[in-house]
Amino acid sequence: MVLTEKPSAAKKIAAALDNTQSPKEIKRGKVVYYECKKENDELVVVYAIGHLFELQQTEKGWTYPRLESKWVPKYEVDKKAINIKPIINLIQKLSKDVDGFIIATDYDIEGSLIGYLTLKYACKADPMKAHRMLFSSLTDADLEKAYETRGGLDFPLIEAGHVRHEVDWLYGINMTRALTLAIKNVAGWFKVISTGRVQGPTLSFIAQREKEINLFVPTPYWTIHVIGDHKGNEMELEYFKKQLSSKQDANRIVDDLIGQDAVVDVINQRTVTQPPHPPFNLSSLQAEAYRHFGFKPSRTLAIAQSLYLDALISYPRTNSEMLPSTLDIKGILTGLGGMKDYAYMAKTILKGNLVPIQGKKTDPAHPSIHPTGEKPTKHLSPSDKKVYDLIVRRFLSLFGEPLIKNHQRADIICGSYRLYVRGLQIVKQGWSEFYGPYFKAGEKVLPNIDQGDIVRLASVNSENKYTQGPARFNPASLLKLLEKENLGTKATRSSIVDSVKSRGYTQGEKFELSNLGFAVFETLSQFIPDVLSPEMTRQLEIEMEKIQEGTEKRENVIRGAKTSLLKQLAEFKSKEDQIGETLVEGLQRYWKDTEELGPCPKCNDGILRIVKSPKSGKRFVGCSNYKGGKCDQTFPLPQKGTLSPMDSTCPYCEYRMITVTSGKRVWTTCINWSKCPGRQDDLKALDDRRSKKKSDDIGG
Amino acid sequence: MKECCICGRKSVDEEFCEYHQAAHINLKSVFEIWVNANRGVTWEEYIRQVYELEETGQWVKEIIENIMSQNGP
């Protein structure tokens, strides 16, 4: 039995291993498996869907501390995971009639653990007797080689996976319950407030940045803009100081320079040689995809994962910036040479020496991300195509010659003042020719001037500007920080970045901390600051590495984690009331900001709030006096997108304005939009659009 | 327990919470830079200009609103 991680991987692996490359697909209800023959071995290829087993507490009660757990089928913990049951049942049934097991899940901590747990709890097999296929891409050649060279299971890697799950479970479940119960005990509300081993430090980074932004006071500065005239040709000159901190100084410089003749003192040239960028690992791919396409890291990871499952690229969850010497570079380039878009570049590279540039970062399991050279067998979506093109071009650029550019600067003097004019010239395109659209040259021609020439300073102005506060994080910069701080893993970072947003701790594309996020941060930093510190997580990552190297034992790490957690929880318990009060205050501020829309215009003493109908699940604006039967004022609301109350009122009807954010679309309207005299034209246009769509749909 | 007159958090100096207090201190300390940069700027002109700048932090703006509301229009 060959155990794989996903349905598409099972299909690919079965086809690659089968003697005729046409395995038999057998359906059992909604689940399929494959039968194939590899030489004389008869193989049954089955799949998991990620983790089939999860940790569940063994002691009773939704409280804390809870330290003991066991592995159970995922559907027993997550009621939505009903699709897991038939898969486990099928694996259980088929495993009774096989002679041996081969784990062919992704070669990383999670993949190894998935294989081990399935083997142990679904197949009830002895892991010591099982085999492991190790591969970095799903190409036929790699899979066949992995089958031929299969060895035993990598137990240190599995142990490290166990530790991560157990520690995450311990911290996640206990801290989340502690925070949630602190609120319940103080206010009687049940609002789940989560935190975790990596989520806490991530929230802390965002909150610290938000504090800096909120405390920022801009200071003024001035810049000098000079237009020179050289033999009738205009040129832009830079004043040698980029910023002046006084208005008086700026005015004096303008007065001293305007209309004066300046002399070209010296022209300097500096040649810079720039080697290609290193090969992609997951973080650099995610950063580059965000820069060029605006894709969130989690989206890039999902696309890269799908390209990997289609055998178009190597395994994407890698830290490595290196390509091993054993990689069939010639084969990959030959494959790429068969694709219209890359044919010319691949053939050019094949004529040269095939030594790629290497980066510094390494990964024990996988090389850097690279194309496999296989042709796509199905149509790639535009997003898939973009990421694939980026990966291929980065790979091709590794074989390019260095880029050579000349930086030129002419120094122009006028009395004691110095001015510059700059040029940038690409002398040799080198690798940038292959990287194509992802390289911005920024060339600028230096005006045709010589030493001793006179430049008349025709126009001199000063501009008043203000210093900028720190920038908020974007998904790519937050991901980069997590990597720099060694928090989380290449596989988990993007979901952590997403989770702070999905839990309501941040809002908007740029990770603006919400009142809820601030309340959680304030509470944790006041009462249990260790949870926000990256130190604990960093220490655990080090211990996990030691487990992988075989120099530390899982039991010791878990024992240490439990001891430290118990200490933190005891401290928490002693301050539970204070913690609950701080959180409740924060939640009230959060709800006021996100749900309250000011006084009710009908009864005058109620507050308008965004509420959700328990019956229909639809949201609308209602009056707080509805419960007492005193007021029935309601307003309909758009059902899609995120709503944020604004401080302003509608210029037509004077009702409160709201912002609606749906995907990339952001618009504003008033809560009275259905009756607002100023919005009737918009409503008519909307009706017309809907009617047209309906008639188009009917017309086919 | 005294509350911050701006946000209702626990106050640390009888008037403001730790965040608004820090914003107040920042606002006062940066005034000197503005005076050096732009001789003759008064405190009133300074806070009005800072308030209008997009880059100014939210807590600083709230402090200025508080100062303006005390001084009247």
Side-chain angles (χ1 to χ4, degrees):
Chain A
M1 175 178 278
V2 181
L3 289 167
T4 69
E5 197 165 322
K6 295 171 196 77
S8 50
K11 192 173 180 179
K12 204 95 198 168
I13 290 168
L17 298 184
D18 188 56
N19 290 335
T20 58
Q21 299 216 308
S22 51
K24 195 173 164 193
E25 184 180 293
I26 299 159
K27 271 198 171 182
R28 287 285 177 268
K30 285 182 180 173
V31 188
V32 299
Y33 69 96
Y34 301 89
E35 281 181 358
C36 59
K37 205 164 179 187
K38 175 77 180 158
E39 284 144 20
N40 291 325
D41 296 338
E42 285 175 3
L43 302 175
V44 179
V45 183
V46 294
Y47 57 77
I49 308 180
H51 276 283
L52 298 179
F53 295 87
E54 288 282 345
L55 286 167
Q56 187 186 52
Q57 75 176 48
T58 48
E59 305 146 276
K60 281 188 178 169
W62 205 92
T63 184
Y64 68 94
R66 285 291 176 262
L67 303 182
E68 301 308 321
S69 59
K70 62 175 181 186
W71 291 98
V72 295
K74 195 175 175 181
Y75 54 82
E76 286 186 21
V77 181
D78 177 3
K79 303 290 173 215
K80 286 180 191 163
I82 39 166
N83 54 338
I84 299 287
K85 198 170 187 173
I87 295 172
I88 294 178
N89 288 346
L90 178 71
I91 294 174
Q92 249 165 5
K93 194 177 158 204
L94 293 172
S95 65
K96 287 175 187 157
D97 300 320
V98 298
D99 302 325
F101 296 89
I102 301 171
I103 305 295
T105 47
D106 292 345
Y107 181 33
D108 57 18
I109 289 182
E110 288 310 309
S112 296
L113 187 64
I114 289 168
Y116 173 84
L117 294 171
T118 309
L119 196 65
K120 190 168 174 189
Y121 297 108
C123 307
K124 314 267 188 236
D126 180 1
M128 294 301 286
K129 291 181 185 162
H131 289 102
R132 180 76 161 113
M133 276 171 65
L134 302 179
F135 46 87
S136 287
S137 80
L138 288 173
T139 58
D140 292 353
D142 267 20
L143 291 169
E144 278 184 61
K145 192 176 164 201
Y147 182 80
E148 299 303 339
T149 58
R150 63 191 186 270
L153 264 56
D154 190 340
F155 288 101
L157 205 65
I158 294 165
E159 290 290 89
H162 261 119
V163 166
R164 173 173 298 141
H165 272 262
E166 286 178 56
V167 174
D168 281 351
W169 182 86
L170 281 168
Y171 271 86
I173 213 151
N174 282 292
M175 285 297 174
T176 299
R177 285 178 186 183
L179 291 169
T180 307
L181 290 172
I183 294 177
K184 192 167 182 279
N185 294 344
V186 167
W189 310 329
F190 188 82
K191 161 82 182 161
V192 176
I193 300 289
S194 75
T195 187
R197 188 174 62 83
V198 185
Q199 202 190 350
T202 308
L203 177 66
S204 175
F205 291 137
I206 298 168
Q208 296 294 355
R209 180 65 59 88
E210 196 70 26
K211 275 165 108 174
E212 290 169 29
I213 293 168
N214 284 338
L215 289 170
F216 184 72
V217 182
T219 54
Y221 67 91
W222 285 262
T223 54
I224 304 287
H225 301 275
V226 184
I227 303 289
D229 181 328
H230 175 251
K231 297 176 183 169
N233 296 317
E234 277 195 351
M235 65 174 86
E236 212 173 305
L237 306 174
E238 281 171 47
Y239 185 65
F240 81 107
K241 280 187 183 169
K242 283 201 188 308
Q243 294 185 6
L244 298 160
S245 56
S246 137
K247 187 181 179 182
Q248 251 189 342
D249 289 351
N251 289 345
R252 197 189 63 243
I253 292 162
V254 171
D255 291 344
D256 287 352
L257 290 180
I258 195 145
Q260 297 294 316
D261 281 346
V263 184
V264 178
D265 181 35
V266 63
I267 300 173
N268 288 312
Q269 182 165 295
R270 192 166 48 97
T271 303
V272 174
T273 303
Q274 193 181 332
H277 296 302
F280 273 139
N281 62 12
L282 181 59
S283 306
S284 54
L285 171 67
Q286 286 170 318
E288 200 77 336
Y290 181 76
R291 197 155 76 92
H292 295 291
F293 318 131
F295 291 174
K296 282 194 295 182
S298 53
R299 183 174 174 193
T300 302
L301 175 58
I303 293 172
Q305 180 71 20
S306 129
L307 294 171
Y308 160 73
L309 289 172
D310 288 338
L312 298 179
I313 64 164
S314 60
Y315 188 63
R317 289 181 171 96
T318 175
N319 269 336
S320 173
E321 291 177 334
M322 317 270 276
L323 291 171
S325 54
T326 49
L327 189 70
D328 180 14
I329 285 171
K330 197 172 174 187
I332 296 172
L333 286 166
T334 308
L336 293 172
M339 296 179 212
K340 190 171 83 225
D341 291 345
Y342 311 116
Y344 176 74
M345 290 185 280
K347 279 170 192 161
T348 309
I349 294 167
L350 276 165
K351 284 180 202 157
N353 121 29
L354 302 183
V355 182
I357 194 101
Q358 304 276 19
K360 286 181 183 158
K361 292 180 184 162
T362 57
D363 187 306
H366 297 283
S368 62
I369 302 170
H370 62 81
T372 59
E374 292 210 356
K375 264 189 185 173
T377 49
K378 63 177 192 194
H379 177 74
L380 295 181
S381 73
S383 301
D384 290 358
K385 221 171 183 171
K386 281 179 182 170
V387 174
Y388 181 67
D389 185 61
L390 182 61
I391 292 169
V392 172
R393 284 180 176 276
R394 179 70 156 233
F395 175 76
L396 294 172
S397 74
L398 305 175
F399 302 92
E401 289 188 38
L403 168 94
I404 300 175
K405 51 189 177 184
N406 280 340
H407 289 277
Q408 298 147 322
R409 191 182 87 183
D411 288 18
I412 297 166
I413 51 170
C414 180
S416 59
Y417 298 109
R418 191 167 283 272
L419 302 152
Y420 300 142
V421 57
R422 292 178 201 268
L424 174 67
Q425 193 188 4
I426 304 289
V427 182
K428 188 176 174 187
Q429 286 202 313
W431 57 266
S432 70
E433 219 169 338
F434 302 132
Y435 207 34
Y438 311 114
F439 172 76
K440 302 256 182 302
E443 269 189 292
K444 193 181 167 195
V445 179
L446 185 77
N448 190 14
I449 47 174
D450 290 313
Q451 202 169 351
D453 282 1
I454 300 292
V455 178
R456 201 174 65 79
L457 308 180
S459 151
V460 184
N461 295 302
S462 70
E463 190 184 353
N464 184 190
K465 292 178 180 172
Y466 297 90
T467 50
Q468 302 280 320
R472 285 202 169 86
F473 288 109
N474 61 39
S477 61
L478 188 56
L479 199 76
K480 215 170 178 180
L481 180 66
L482 294 183
E483 190 191 2
K484 191 176 143 227
E485 295 288 334
N486 200 15
L487 289 172
T489 68
K490 61 221 170 207
T492 58
R493 282 179 200 125
S494 52
S495 60
I496 291 158
V497 167
D498 281 354
S499 77
V500 287
K501 189 175 280 185
S502 65
R503 300 205 191 282
Y505 295 166
T506 65
Q507 55 204 15
E509 187 62 21
K510 286 245 164 172
F511 290 89
E512 188 184 339
L513 198 70
S514 69
N515 271 334
L516 177 63
F518 222 104
V520 175
F521 167 74
E522 272 182 309
T523 311
L524 295 175
S525 58
Q526 197 179 339
F527 299 104
I528 32 173
D530 283 356
V531 177
L532 295 173
S533 159
E535 201 39 53
M536 183 189 77
T537 283
R538 212 179 280 137
Q539 187 54 37
L540 184 76
E541 301 290 344
I542 293 169
E543 281 166 348
M544 277 173 53
E545 266 171 40
K546 283 186 186 165
I547 293 172
Q548 285 182 58
E549 290 161 5
T551 55
E552 180 58 281
K553 284 194 167 172
R554 170 186 160 198
E555 295 76 19
N556 294 344
V557 178
I558 297 291
R559 200 181 309 121
K562 283 182 179 174
T563 309
S564 126
L565 177 66
L566 274 175
K567 208 175 131 196
Q568 287 175 21
L569 290 174
E571 212 178 318
F572 189 101
K573 196 91 190 170
S574 68
K575 300 170 189 164
E576 198 180 60
D577 286 351
Q578 286 167 278
I579 293 172
E581 277 162 21
T582 315
L583 281 171
V584 166
E585 281 167 24
L587 270 173
Q588 281 169 332
R589 278 194 293 273
Y590 171 65
W591 284 326
K592 194 172 180 206
D593 269 17
T594 53
E595 291 172 7
E596 283 191 13
L597 289 154
C600 173
K602 193 170 178 182
C603 66
N604 286 325
D605 70 338
I607 299 285
L608 292 180
R609 269 202 192 106
I610 298 171
V611 283
K612 215 171 198 180
S613 159
K615 274 188 190 167
S616 65
K618 288 193 171 174
R619 62 186 176 189
F620 60 95
V621 175
C623 175
S624 58
N625 278 338
Y626 176 79
K627 270 190 181 168
K630 273 169 70 184
C631 183
D632 60 356
Q633 176 72 65
T634 58
F635 297 94
L637 282 173
Q639 295 303 312
K640 281 185 184 168
T642 311
L643 303 176
S644 318
M646 295 169 71
D647 290 332
S648 53
T649 53
C650 175
Y652 308 109
C653 64
E654 296 189 351
Y655 281 91
R656 271 287 281 276
M657 296 288 290
I658 50 169
T659 303
V660 188
T661 310
S662 180
K664 283 186 178 169
R665 200 173 154 228
V666 181
W667 75 97
T668 58
T669 186
C670 62
I671 55 170
N672 185 38
W673 57 278
S674 63
K675 289 177 188 157
C676 175
R679 296 179 202 277
Q680 293 314 303
D681 288 348
D682 293 348
L683 276 177
K684 194 177 170 306
L686 181 69
D687 275 347
D688 289 349
R689 277 204 303 276
R690 281 184 180 155
S691 317
K692 190 175 176 298
K693 191 174 179 296
K694 213 171 188 180
S695 64
D696 286 353
D697 290 348
I698 293 165
Chain B
M1 184 190 80
K2 275 246 175 188
E3 285 182 353
C4 172
C5 59
I6 295 173
C7 66
R9 283 187 179 91
K10 196 172 88 178
S11 70
V12 289
D13 66 353
E14 297 290 300
E15 200 174 6
F16 300 128
C17 65
E18 58 170 314
Y19 305 123
H20 286 106
Q21 185 200 44
H24 195 201
I25 292 169
N26 254 9
L27 185 68
K28 285 192 285 189
S29 66
V30 173
F31 179 51
E32 201 184 319
I33 301 174
W34 276 66
V35 171
N36 289 335
N38 210 338
R39 296 237 166 97
V41 70
T42 64
W43 169 256
E44 286 73 23
E45 283 167 345
Y46 161 64
I47 59 169
R48 187 181 48 76
Q49 285 188 47
V50 169
Y51 186 74
E52 281 167 12
L53 290 171
E54 207 182 307
E55 299 84 359
T56 303
Q58 189 55 34
W59 294 335
V60 177
K61 286 195 175 186
E62 286 164 0
I63 280 287
I64 296 174
E65 280 170 8
N66 180 270
I67 295 169
M68 284 174 165
S69 70
Q70 283 176 0
N71 294 348

